[in-house]
Amino acid sequence: MSRFVRASKYRHVYGQPAKRELCIDNVKLSNSAWDTNLIAASGSFISVNWNASGGGAFAILPLPSPFQPHSLPTKLPDIIPLARGHTAPVLDTDWSPHDDRVVASGGEDGHILLWQVESTYSFDDWGQDKWVPRDFEPVLRIGASARRVGQVLFHPTAKHVLAGATGEHNVKLWDLGAPEDPKAVLTGHTDAVQSFAFNFTGNLLVTTCRDRKIRLFDSRAGGEPVRVGDGHAGIKSSRVVWMGEQDRIATTGFSKMSSRELGIWDTGSLANLKNVTVDQTAGVLMPFYSDNNILFVAGKGDGNVRYYEFESDTLHTLSEFQSTTPQRGMCFIPRRALSVADCEIARAYKLTSTLIEPIAFIVPRKSDQFQSDIFPPALSAEPALTAAEFFKGVVKPANLVSLDSGAVLASTGAQAVVPTRTASAPAPEPIRMGTTEAPSASVPASAVASTPVSAPAPSAAPRSVPMSRSSTTMSISTPADDSSSLKEENAQLNAELREAREKIRNLELQVEALKANAQKAKALLNA
C-alpha cells in the first residue's frame, strides 16, 4: 500500500440528501419499460415521465432545492397539470441548455413535441380550494418516426438544434426553425440506439447500440459513422457520456458474465483505455459527467451513486453515496444553477417510485469566500452559434459563465477535429431529407392538434427561431398563400382537444373518488 494519498480538492466530497419536507412526494411514475432516466432537469424546472390515461404525458415541476423550501406542497395533489399531447407513452425528455423554460419530449407515437413554460405560470396555488389544473400545451410538433422516438437531446452550443433517436435505428438532427425535414440523418446502426451524446462543441456525436457497437459520427454530415468499435460484450443496455472538452468518452454496460462495467475510450480510435468491473447487480448504470472532471455513476434498482475523478486517463475513486431506497431514475442540473455559497459542486435528483429527492454533493469547507479552485467556469446558457451556422459547418467553442461574477466568456479548450474515416466506416451517404410525418389514420384528429406551424417561404433560407420567455408560441415564418381556412380548422381541432382533455380529467377525478370510497368501505368492513 502506498504511503502517500493523492492530492485532490474533491477527495472529501459527500452526498447530502434533502430533508423529507424539501422533497416532492406522491409522484406517479410512468410504467413504460423503455430504458431512459425518466427524469430531466434545467436550471429552473424538472420533467418526469408520468403515468397518465388518455395517451402519453409528463409532469413539469419547479426545481426543488435541498437547502430551502419549494413552492409546491410536499405531497402533490392526485391530479396535477401535465404536458399532454403524445398519443402513446412519453419515453424521454430533455431541457434546452439555452433556455430553462423550453423542454422537448419524445414518445412511443413517433413524435417529438416542444414545450415552453410561460413566465407567468404559477405553481403556488396547487392543491388549494377551487383550484383547477391547467395542462401545458405544446408549441411545436415534429413527426420524427413511423415507430418511436426513444431519446431526445439538445445540441450543447447551437441554439434550436435538437437530436432524436428513432425506431428506424437512426439519429436525426433538426433545425427547429425549419422542422419539416431533418437536416442530418445518422445511419449505420443494425439495432436499436440505446444512448447518444454530443462532444463539447457538438460537431461530433457518439452512440451506443444494442448490437454492442460504439459509433462516432460527424453530426452535420449525416450518413455512416466515421468510427465503429466494439463496446461492452454483454447484451444488456449500454450508456455513453462525453467527458467534457477531452477526446474521451465514458460508457457503462455489462460483460459476458453480466457484471456491470465502466469503460473509458479514446475517441480517435475508439480503443478501450480502461475497463472497471463495478459489481454483479442487474440494474443499468447511468453515467453523468460534470465539467469539473468528476464522473458520477448511479445504478437503477440500487440506492448508490459512485463518483470518480478523471485525471490523466485514470479514474480515481472519490467516494460513494449510499441509500437503502433504490432509484428508478436520476438526473443532474447544470452547474450554473448550483449553490456556490454552500460549496455545492453538483446536484442530483433521485427518482423513486413515488418521490423526487434532491441530493447535494458538497465539498466540506467553512470559508465564506468564493472557492475558485472547486468552481471553474460552467457552461453558460448563452448559445455559441445559431442553428443555421451549425449546419453550414461553423464550429465555435462553448460559452462559459463565471460562477463568481456571472461574466460570460468563451471556452479556450481545443476544438475537436472530425477523425479520419476508417475502412469499417464508409464515406457518408447524402443526407436523407424526409418529410414531417402525417398523423396515423387510426389516431383521432383532436388528439394531434397543436399550435399552427408553417413552413418558411421557398425563397427563405432556414434560420433559427427566437423563443420568448413570456410566450408559449413559436415565431416561424408563414407562406404568403396560407389560407384562413387552415387556421379555422386548426382552432376547431384545438377546441376539440381541450374538450377531450377536460373529459379525461373529469374521468380521472371520478376514478380517484371511487378509489377513496372503496378504501373507506374496506376500512369499515375490517373494523
Side-chain angles (χ1 to χ4, degrees):
M1 181 182 294
S2 174
R3 297 171 52 192
F4 303 99
V5 177
R6 187 184 67 91
S8 171
K9 51 186 174 289
Y10 300 115
R11 190 160 60 90
H12 299 291
V13 170
Y14 66 95
Q16 176 179 298
K19 297 178 181 178
R20 185 75 180 193
E21 59 267 23
L22 302 181
C23 302
I24 297 179
D25 202 355
N26 199 30
V27 173
K28 297 181 180 179
L29 191 58
S30 171
N31 293 325
S32 173
W34 185 254
D35 180 33
T36 55
N37 292 350
L38 300 174
I39 184 172
S42 70
S44 302
F45 301 96
I46 55 177
S47 55
V48 182
N49 296 5
W50 208 257
N51 184 14
S53 57
F58 66 97
I60 297 177
L61 306 170
L63 197 71
S65 169
F67 306 106
Q68 57 189 11
H70 51 76
S71 59
L72 293 178
T74 302
K75 186 175 182 180
L76 293 178
D78 289 329
I79 303 297
I80 66 170
L82 296 174
R84 300 178 185 268
H86 289 277
T87 57
V90 174
L91 301 180
D92 194 28
T93 59
D94 188 52
W95 290 88
S96 170
H98 309 122
D99 191 336
D100 285 342
R101 293 181 174 272
V102 175
V103 60
S105 61
E108 192 74 47
D109 58 358
H111 285 79
I112 292 176
L113 271 61
L114 201 69
W115 314 75
Q116 186 172 12
V117 183
E118 299 177 20
S119 58
T120 57
Y121 191 90
S122 174
F123 296 87
D124 297 333
D125 55 351
W126 280 25
Q128 296 181 7
D129 292 340
K130 299 182 180 180
W131 171 67
V132 178
R134 180 167 63 94
D135 286 340
F136 299 91
E137 297 285 345
V139 296
L140 181 66
R141 179 186 296 270
I142 301 174
S145 169
R147 297 176 63 186
R148 64 168 176 267
V149 178
Q151 296 90 20
V152 289
L153 185 65
F154 277 96
H155 193 278
T157 61
K159 193 171 186 180
H160 301 146
V161 174
L162 181 67
T166 67
E168 295 83 9
H169 313 330
N170 298 327
V171 176
K172 299 180 182 180
L173 281 78
W174 286 270
D175 175 358
L176 297 180
E180 297 77 21
D181 299 317
K183 296 300 182 183
V185 181
L186 311 182
T187 63
H189 305 93
T190 61
D191 210 328
V193 177
Q194 295 175 323
S195 70
F196 64 93
F198 286 103
N199 70 334
F200 194 71
T201 56
N203 63 326
L204 297 177
L205 184 143
V206 64
T207 67
T208 59
C209 182
R210 194 173 290 170
D211 62 9
R212 291 171 284 185
K213 298 290 185 181
I214 300 174
R215 292 174 172 84
L216 188 67
F217 294 87
D218 179 346
S219 58
R220 288 169 293 207
E224 299 287 332
V226 296
R227 285 281 188 277
V228 180
D230 293 327
H232 296 274
I235 61 173
K236 294 183 180 179
S237 183
S238 177
R239 301 285 191 89
V240 65
V241 64
W242 207 288
M243 305 187 77
E245 296 184 74
Q246 305 172 82
D247 56 351
R248 300 288 185 265
I249 57 173
T251 62
T252 58
F254 293 81
S255 68
K256 286 185 177 180
M257 304 303 294
S258 296
S259 300
R260 295 200 294 187
E261 294 181 333
L262 172 61
I264 305 296
W265 312 76
D266 172 32
T267 58
S269 61
L270 287 185
N272 182 250
L273 303 178
K274 188 175 183 62
N275 213 49
V276 178
T277 299
V278 178
D279 56 26
Q280 295 286 337
T281 310
V284 175
L285 289 172
M286 301 174 285
F288 305 93
Y289 190 78
S290 174
D291 50 5
N292 48 10
N293 296 332
I294 298 181
L295 177 66
F296 294 87
V297 180
K300 283 191 175 184
D302 61 69
N304 303 332
V305 181
R306 300 168 177 85
Y307 39 105
Y308 310 82
E309 186 172 9
F310 185 69
E311 185 178 38
S312 303
D313 284 347
T314 303
L315 279 178
H316 302 281
T317 302
L318 291 175
S319 188
E320 181 177 355
F321 170 79
Q322 296 181 331
S323 170
T324 58
T325 306
Q327 56 237 1
R328 291 192 57 188
M330 182 169 285
C331 68
F332 279 70
I333 65 171
R335 275 203 317 119
R336 56 182 167 80
L338 297 174
S339 175
V340 296
D342 296 291
C343 292
E344 181 189 36
I345 63 160
R347 185 190 303 171
Y349 284 87
K350 174 180 174 178
L351 180 63
T352 68
S353 297
T354 60
L355 189 74
I356 300 174
E357 179 184 35
I359 303 173
F361 291 92
I362 296 173
V363 175
R365 294 188 179 179
K366 295 182 178 180
S367 174
D368 294 332
Q369 301 297 319
F370 176 74
Q371 308 292 309
S372 58
D373 60 328
I374 62 174
F375 289 112
L379 288 172
S380 170
E382 183 176 317
L385 66 166
T386 65
E389 290 173 334
F390 169 73
F391 287 111
K392 286 179 181 177
V394 178
V395 178
K396 292 183 181 179
N399 287 324
L400 305 179
V401 59
S402 168
L403 298 184
D404 182 21
S405 64
V408 177
L409 57 153
S411 170
T412 57
Q415 298 181 7
V417 179
V418 178
T420 306
R421 202 170 294 275
T422 61
S424 60
E429 302 172 3
I431 297 176
R432 297 176 176 84
M433 304 299 286
T435 57
T436 304
E437 181 199 0
S440 171
S442 60
V443 180
S446 61
V448 295
S450 64
T451 54
V453 178
S454 303
S459 60
R463 60 182 180 84
S464 62
V465 183
M467 282 185 286
S468 170
R469 287 178 174 264
S470 61
S471 174
T472 58
T473 59
M474 196 171 266
S475 174
I476 299 180
S477 55
T478 307
D481 59 348
D482 188 25
S483 64
S484 59
S485 62
L486 290 176
K487 296 181 180 179
E488 294 176 359
E489 182 181 358
N490 191 77
Q492 182 180 357
L493 292 175
N494 276 323
E496 293 177 4
L497 178 59
R498 285 192 293 270
E499 183 179 354
R501 288 178 177 169
E502 185 177 353
K503 291 179 180 178
I504 291 172
R505 183 71 69 187
N506 291 334
L507 289 173
E508 287 179 341
L509 289 171
Q510 293 175 22
V511 170
E512 294 295 335
L514 289 173
K515 287 181 179 179
N517 292 336
Q519 291 176 354
K520 292 178 182 178
K522 184 178 180 180
L524 290 173
L525 291 174
N526 294 334

